[in-house]
Amino acid sequence: MSHLQIFFVIFVIVGMTGIFGYPGYDDGAHGYGGGYEPKYPPHPYGFGYEIKDHLGNQQYRKEHSDGKKVIGSYGFTDAHGIHRLVDYVADEHGFRAKVRTNEPGTANQDPANVHIQSTAYHGPIGDYH
């Protein structure tokens, strides 16, 4: 066989593999390994944590699910008292969040199905204490 014939055979094999995928794998459209990924039904879970550092910064997160609906919250407070607290729900109606904050530059507004309550100072920068 000539080099051209060998190249043509390899080209055809590689082309057919790209069109039909590798034997034993899914459709090949999901990344490395041909897309094989086991599917598991949702299960109930819960977790949470709280952190406070030596400078007085604090953050937390907690979340739980019954396998259908996720309810959670997270937040932080820095050493200067600037805070953001977020409560959220994700279920068959989508993701919804309520944000409470006093971060400078925020205002009461409700973008993208998120309810924001701001108590931010709107004076000169640096005078928010």
Side-chain angles (χ1 to χ4, degrees):
M1 238 195 247
S2 72
H3 292 299
L4 185 57
Q5 289 172 324
I6 294 171
F7 174 77
F8 181 74
V9 169
I10 292 172
F11 180 77
V12 169
I13 292 171
V14 169
M16 297 302 280
T17 303
I19 293 171
F20 296 111
Y22 295 98
Y25 289 98
D26 285 343
D27 62 4
H30 296 97
Y32 186 77
Y36 175 75
E37 184 177 325
K39 306 286 188 245
Y40 300 105
H43 291 284
Y45 68 88
F47 70 89
Y49 65 84
E50 289 187 46
I51 301 170
K52 182 173 182 178
D53 69 18
H54 67 284
L55 300 173
N57 300 302
Q58 301 176 50
Q59 61 178 312
Y60 76 93
R61 181 168 180 196
K62 55 186 172 181
E63 181 177 292
H64 69 275
S65 173
D66 62 4
K68 295 180 183 178
K69 182 178 190 177
V70 176
I71 299 173
S73 64
Y74 63 89
F76 74 86
T77 303
D78 73 10
H80 302 288
I82 303 297
H83 67 270
R84 179 187 307 160
L85 309 171
V86 181
D87 297 311
Y88 60 90
V89 174
D91 58 16
E92 69 274 3
H93 303 292
F95 178 83
R96 297 167 314 281
K98 178 180 179 182
V99 180
R100 291 168 286 159
T101 185
N102 66 351
E103 295 172 89
T106 59
N108 292 324
Q109 51 184 320
D110 298 331
N113 205 18
V114 174
H115 181 70
I116 298 177
Q117 293 178 331
S118 176
T119 57
Y121 174 74
H122 293 285
I125 295 176
D127 283 346
Y128 59 85
H129 294 292

